[in-house]
């Protein structure tokens, strides 16, 4: 019973992270539609590249370290 509760809690906390990750590869129109599709129809890799080029992630990492 304990392992079942821990597995359920793990799934509940992991799902929003996976949803965020999948949404980062969607187009804007796919991201804001009320359809609850987990995976995008066309993967937009440039969204991730643009995020890393826009924000100073090295500074954020250094501050966290």
């Amino acid at each position: 019973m304990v392992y079942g509760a821990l597995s359920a809690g793990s799934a509940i906390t992991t799902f929003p992270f996976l949803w965020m990750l999948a949404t980062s590869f969607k187009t804007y129109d796919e991201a804001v539609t009320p359809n609850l599709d987990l995976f995008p129809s066309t993967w937009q890799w440039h969204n991730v590249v643009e995020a890393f080029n826009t924000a100073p992630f090295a500074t954020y990492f250094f501050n966290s370290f």
Side-chain angles (χ1 to χ4, degrees), residues 20-35 37-48 50:
M20 175 194 63
L21 186 64
T23 302
S24 71
F25 292 107
K26 294 180 181 181
T27 62
Y28 177 77
D29 293 332
E30 284 182 316
V32 297
T33 59
N35 298 340
D37 297 330
L38 180 61
F39 297 109
S41 61
T42 56
W43 292 78
Q44 303 293 319
W45 298 98
H46 65 85
N47 293 341
V48 178
E50 185 177 337

Side-chain angles (χ1 to χ4, degrees):
M1 185 170 287
V2 172
Y3 288 121
L6 290 173
S7 296
S10 174
I12 289 170
T13 58
T14 303
F15 184 73
F17 176 75
L18 293 176
W19 188 274
M20 175 194 63
L21 186 64
T23 302
S24 71
F25 292 107
K26 294 180 181 181
T27 62
Y28 177 77
D29 293 332
E30 284 182 316
V32 297
T33 59
N35 298 340
L36 298 177
D37 297 330
L38 180 61
F39 297 109
S41 61
T42 56
W43 292 78
Q44 303 293 319
W45 298 98
H46 65 85
N47 293 341
V48 178
V49 173
E50 185 177 337
F52 278 98
N53 289 335
T54 303
F57 281 99
T59 303
Y60 298 158
F61 181 75
F62 180 73
N63 289 339
S64 296
F65 181 70

